[in-house]
Amino acid sequence: MTETLKVYPARLRPDVTASPRDFSAELNPQQVAAATHTDGPLLIIAGAGTGKTRTLVYRVAHLIERGVAAERILLLTFTRRAAQEMLSRVERLVGSSSKRVHGGTFHATAHRLLRRYGPAAGLAKDFTIMDQGDSADLMQLSRAQLGYGAKTKRFPKKESLQYFYSRHINTGISVEDIIRDEYPQFIDYLLDFGKIYADYTNRKQERNLVDYDDLLLFWALLLEAAPEIARKISGMYDHVLVDEYQDTNVLQARILRGMCASHNNITVVGDDAQSIYSFRGANFRNILDFPKQFEGATAVALEQNYRSTQPILNVTNTLISRAAERFTKNLWTERKGGETPWLVAARDEQQQTQFVVDRILELHEEGTPLHEIAVLFRAGYMSADLEIELTNRKIPFEKWGGLKFLEAAHVKDVLAFLRILENPRDEVSWYRLLLLLPGIGDATARAAIDSMAAAAWESTAFGRYAPPPRARAAHAALVDLLDALRSGPVLEEAQVSAEIARVRLMYDNVLRERYDRVEPRLADLDQLQIIAGGYPDRATFLSALALEPPQATQDLPGGSSKEDDDCLVLSTAHSAKGKEWDAVFVIWAVDGWFPSARCLNSDEETEEERRLMYVALTRARNYLSVTYPLNAYSSRRGADYSLDQLCRFIDRGVRDNMQRIALGSDNAPAAEELPKQPLLDLRALLRSRFNAT
């Protein structure tokens, strides 16, 4: 039984009128200087907790107040939520005119511009966007088609091939250099990689597919290789503002230079000390070299911290002062008091876990909610022992990270139906659907796709395909479903939701046969239907999901109690960036763990690990504890253990600002009174063995 969605139309929002603002009364002097900067390049170095979002919001408000047309301002962020939050705050400052500001992520802005200007550069307007998983799947089809799946020697898997390709596009580093520096075991396959990437590129063109990296690359190429189009695109805006500039990659820096070529009015906000995403292609040099790339740039440093106590800032300031390259800043606060951060040496992981759990309960009993406490670590596996203990002690927690909503197999299955309807040439989605049919494997699916390609992807080609006997009934049902969806009535509302409902009449039975934990997966599909109800058409829905995918799925194990909203947070340091808590525990502060052992052979990667530790420590408002086990077993079943070294970034100067804590033993034997006269002479017994006197 399917549910019918009724769309409740949004009411027109009343205009918000601006009220006069006294910037000097609402901002500190450095924030005022940044917000009221006139024209030309502006670099705002915003230390952790210094109000960088507030400053950027007031910067947009100031531009509008001084007469810059709102639609001539472009605000680029790394999440849609960040853009929406900033623009809603701008509206409260300057009124409803701010709604015309163009705000969004780099990829969403690229998508909008490519839909408009792509056809003039040979890119068909109705292209389909592939996410990272789809890109890897298409890479696998190229890999198999060229015969690399049958090699006896180890050949990189599709995920590795996709990573090499994406890293090359985003960083500008050649594939050869990436392999030689990072994956030398694959150096003999360089020519093979070139063949696969050539086939992958051709497949994208023939199937009208665009991957996530193409969005940025094509935007950059429009600005660099087509002067007439470049003038139109860059001429749309008089001011460009960029949040989290330290997280931009080489490709994004190229885009920004092209967008500002005619006016040079660019404002970027970032913190060089929080550049921690090189594995995603982010380039630390973008923010360091901004004054060189944009001549005449003004730099303003925000140093007044509104988050942490001064004892915490003393630790973090000292730690980051050791960085090899940085913009000099010393964070300070007007907040009074605060406990000195703890540095806790534990005997081993078990004692570390015991301390963290006991201290969390202590803080909670003193009035700190669990959701205001976080335990941070370098990598997800480092919290395994802690998760077991929290579960045993019935302390609710949620762990950040893991499978994203659109990466769940059942969600991708349902979306594949819609993507085929939108783009009949979508080879990846066809491959996915074919594998759902009984009796069809990899070779049969590829043969079916080849037959459809030979028929120029005509809508009736799949119906003419002769499947294996086991698949005939399912094939006929799928043909009927696709034909019905293509020719079905156009509803005035919730059209996409209705299409998903029809797909599920067939798919839910497939899900029950193929997957375990059926109920949470069905609930995910219910949620997908509800999300779809808010979009006017299939193309808009699919593009929105690809550009700003939901971050969570119910089909995951978790430690939190659904009845209890007050949950402790467990998070990697990377996932914690941009967040803050009253109390923060950083565990496994040990060389080889945090910093990671695989990063210690490179000075650049070691420096990024230092910045990552800085990010972790600066998440704390009032209480900070750093723990390190003195020894660790090489494996959970092994008997061998190693003596650990405290994280190299917590040197003597950092330790001087911390309170050293020694953990008492909870199982020391009680002292026993000894007899006054010995009951036995052990030495005499040993002498008698050898007739010694």
Side-chain angles (χ1 to χ4, degrees):
M1 177 177 163
T2 59
E3 297 178 345
T4 303
L5 283 181
K6 179 176 176 60
V7 177
Y8 181 75
R11 296 180 65 184
L12 291 176
R13 291 172 56 200
D15 285 344
V16 177
T17 53
S19 55
R21 317 296 299 199
D22 181 0
F23 278 29
S24 61
E26 300 176 25
L27 304 174
N28 67 42
Q30 290 73 33
Q31 291 172 332
V32 170
T36 59
H37 176 75
T38 53
D39 290 337
L42 172 64
L43 170 62
I44 305 173
I45 301 297
T50 57
K52 61 106 175 166
T53 300
R54 183 179 182 83
T55 304
L56 199 57
V57 165
Y58 274 77
R59 173 81 178 133
V60 175
H62 172 74
L63 290 173
I64 294 173
E65 282 189 345
R66 71 169 236 223
V68 177
E71 63 273 16
R72 306 283 299 172
I73 299 173
L74 175 63
L75 173 62
L76 293 169
T77 63
F78 277 83
T79 67
R80 181 177 60 181
R81 180 180 178 182
Q84 290 173 336
E85 178 188 343
M86 286 189 201
L87 294 179
S88 66
R89 289 170 64 177
V90 172
E91 184 179 3
R92 291 195 291 272
L93 291 178
V94 297
S96 297
S97 63
S98 66
K99 293 179 187 177
R100 299 194 303 275
V101 173
H102 288 186
T105 65
F106 275 91
H107 289 88
T109 304
H111 171 252
R112 176 168 52 81
L113 293 173
L114 289 175
R115 294 287 185 196
R116 180 172 176 181
Y117 295 104
L123 180 66
K125 187 176 182 179
D126 58 344
F127 61 82
T128 299
I129 304 172
M130 298 189 295
D131 63 21
Q132 184 174 320
D134 297 325
S135 177
D137 288 342
L138 189 64
M139 199 80 72
Q140 171 63 17
L141 291 172
S142 294
R143 179 181 184 270
Q145 183 70 35
L146 296 172
Y148 293 107
K151 277 189 175 288
T152 53
K153 284 179 64 179
R154 181 188 172 201
F155 194 80
K157 294 182 178 180
K158 61 180 182 179
E159 292 83 6
S160 297
L161 291 169
Q162 196 276 335
Y163 169 78
F164 305 152
Y165 175 87
S166 179
R167 188 159 180 78
H168 161 64
I169 296 295
N170 283 290
T171 64
I173 303 171
S174 70
V175 174
E176 181 177 355
D177 286 344
I178 291 170
I179 301 301
R180 181 168 287 112
D181 294 343
E182 300 181 41
Y183 298 90
Q185 68 270 31
F186 295 138
I187 196 69
D188 293 339
Y189 293 134
L190 275 176
L191 291 177
D192 301 312
F193 293 162
K195 294 175 183 176
I196 290 173
Y197 295 151
D199 187 80
Y200 171 73
T201 301
N202 287 334
R203 283 174 185 268
K204 285 191 295 181
Q205 179 177 345
E206 292 165 2
R207 277 76 174 166
N208 199 21
L209 301 171
V210 169
D211 65 33
Y212 211 53
D213 301 317
D214 290 337
L215 291 170
L216 296 186
L217 179 62
F218 289 166
W219 185 5
L221 292 175
L222 286 177
L223 292 169
E224 295 169 347
E228 185 177 341
I229 298 176
R231 281 193 296 273
K232 291 180 180 177
I233 294 176
S234 62
M236 294 171 66
Y237 304 107
D238 296 326
H239 284 267
V240 177
L241 298 90
V242 187
D243 190 22
E244 303 286 8
Y245 188 66
Q246 78 280 347
D247 293 337
T248 55
N249 59 36
V250 169
L251 198 50
Q252 289 161 327
R254 282 170 54 189
I255 288 168
L256 293 172
R257 287 195 295 272
M259 292 298 291
C260 301
S262 60
H263 53 69
N264 228 21
N265 290 328
I266 179 169
T267 296
V268 302
V269 181
D271 184 3
D272 53 299
Q274 296 186 65
S275 179
I276 59 174
Y277 291 120
S278 66
F279 66 93
R280 293 183 188 168
N283 192 316
F284 179 58
R285 298 234 58 89
N286 280 356
I287 192 165
L288 289 180
D289 294 343
F290 182 86
K292 298 177 185 175
Q293 294 180 350
F294 294 92
E295 190 175 343
T298 299
V300 176
L302 306 183
E303 296 180 307
Q304 184 174 353
N305 181 280
Y306 296 93
R307 175 187 300 158
S308 304
T309 61
Q310 192 62 50
I312 292 174
L313 294 179
N314 292 340
V315 170
T316 57
N317 283 336
T318 307
L319 183 140
I320 202 61
S321 70
R322 284 28 174 175
E325 288 187 275
R326 69 188 189 102
F327 287 108
T328 302
K329 55 184 176 296
N330 192 55
L331 302 188
W332 59 276
T333 183
E334 292 181 344
R335 293 186 60 191
K336 304 300 181 185
E339 185 174 10
T340 302
W342 290 16
L343 180 60
V344 184
R347 179 183 61 250
D348 51 23
E349 182 181 20
Q350 184 179 9
Q351 193 180 40
Q352 173 180 252
T353 295
Q354 190 70 42
F355 160 73
V356 170
V357 174
D358 289 347
R359 187 72 181 116
I360 286 170
L361 289 174
E362 213 171 29
L363 290 169
H364 187 51
E365 288 164 3
E366 292 170 2
T368 304
L370 285 178
H371 68 267
E372 283 293 354
I373 304 174
V375 182
L376 309 183
F377 30 83
R378 174 62 179 82
Y381 69 87
M382 295 180 188
S383 66
D385 191 66
L386 179 61
E387 291 176 48
I388 293 170
E389 182 64 15
L390 290 169
T391 302
N392 290 340
R393 302 277 283 271
K394 294 183 169 50
I395 300 173
F397 67 90
E398 59 182 18
K399 187 173 181 180
W400 291 1
L403 191 66
K404 293 182 180 179
F405 185 78
L406 293 188
E407 292 171 358
H410 50 290
V411 176
K412 291 182 77 73
D413 287 346
V414 169
L415 291 177
F417 288 87
L418 303 187
R419 290 177 52 167
I420 282 173
L421 294 170
E422 196 61 26
N423 178 7
R425 293 178 284 168
D426 189 337
E427 182 176 6
V428 174
S429 295
W430 272 118
Y431 184 76
R432 188 170 200 96
L433 286 196
L434 285 163
L435 291 181
L436 293 177
L437 305 183
I440 292 187
D442 174 71
T444 310
R446 283 194 281 116
I449 289 171
D450 289 342
S451 72
M452 287 187 282
W457 304 99
E458 187 187 347
S459 60
T460 58
F462 182 58
R464 297 196 301 271
Y465 164 68
R470 279 185 60 202
R472 285 174 186 165
H475 170 262
L478 180 55
V479 169
D480 290 344
L481 173 63
L482 294 176
D483 286 345
L485 287 170
R486 288 191 192 101
S487 58
V490 177
L491 306 179
E492 292 184 1
E493 55 186 30
Q495 173 72 35
V496 190
S497 178
E499 289 178 343
I500 293 175
R502 295 189 71 172
V503 167
R504 292 187 61 185
L505 291 174
M506 173 183 178
Y507 178 76
D508 283 7
N509 291 328
V510 176
L511 184 150
R512 291 185 176 94
E513 292 175 5
R514 296 176 67 92
Y515 299 113
D516 56 3
R517 299 189 70 230
V518 170
E519 291 307 318
R521 294 176 188 266
L522 291 173
D524 281 340
L525 299 185
D526 291 340
Q527 191 65 24
L528 186 68
Q529 258 183 268
I530 294 170
I531 294 170
Y535 289 88
D537 55 67
R538 195 190 305 129
T540 305
F541 172 63
L542 292 172
S543 295
L545 286 188
L547 293 167
E548 192 77 17
Q551 295 299 301
T553 172
Q554 296 182 43
D555 186 38
L556 288 170
S560 63
S561 164
K562 296 300 181 186
E563 290 78 30
D564 191 346
D565 291 330
D566 190 21
C567 292
L568 174 74
V569 174
L570 308 184
S571 174
T572 63
H574 281 104
S575 296
K577 185 172 176 291
K579 310 298 191 300
E580 58 185 78
W581 295 271
D582 282 346
V584 169
F585 294 80
V586 178
I587 61 174
W588 283 109
V590 171
D591 263 7
W593 295 71
F594 196 167
S596 170
R598 60 185 171 78
C599 298
L600 297 180
N601 292 326
S602 160
D603 290 343
E604 288 183 3
E605 291 183 19
T606 301
E607 284 300 306
E608 180 159 321
E609 291 290 296
R610 184 195 308 277
R611 297 193 294 270
L612 185 59
M613 175 63 78
Y614 175 80
V615 166
L617 301 184
T618 53
R619 302 306 95 197
R621 296 192 196 103
N622 305 319
Y623 174 85
L624 173 64
S625 174
V626 179
T627 66
Y628 64 104
L630 293 170
N631 60 68
Y633 290 94
S634 56
S635 70
R636 293 202 168 271
R637 297 186 179 182
D640 297 330
Y641 70 89
S642 59
L643 293 176
D644 288 335
Q645 293 287 339
L646 173 63
C647 168
R648 64 186 60 194
F649 308 135
I650 304 177
D651 59 25
R652 182 177 296 278
V654 176
R655 294 196 299 271
D656 285 346
N657 290 291
M658 304 185 78
Q659 183 176 342
R660 300 297 295 267
I661 303 292
L663 300 179
S665 176
D666 57 357
N667 57 0
E672 186 176 343
E673 186 177 346
L674 297 176
K676 294 180 180 178
Q677 294 295 327
L679 302 177
L680 185 67
D681 189 344
L682 293 174
R683 298 289 188 185
L685 291 174
L686 182 59
R687 288 197 305 271
S688 67
R689 179 182 290 260
F690 300 103
N691 296 319
T693 58

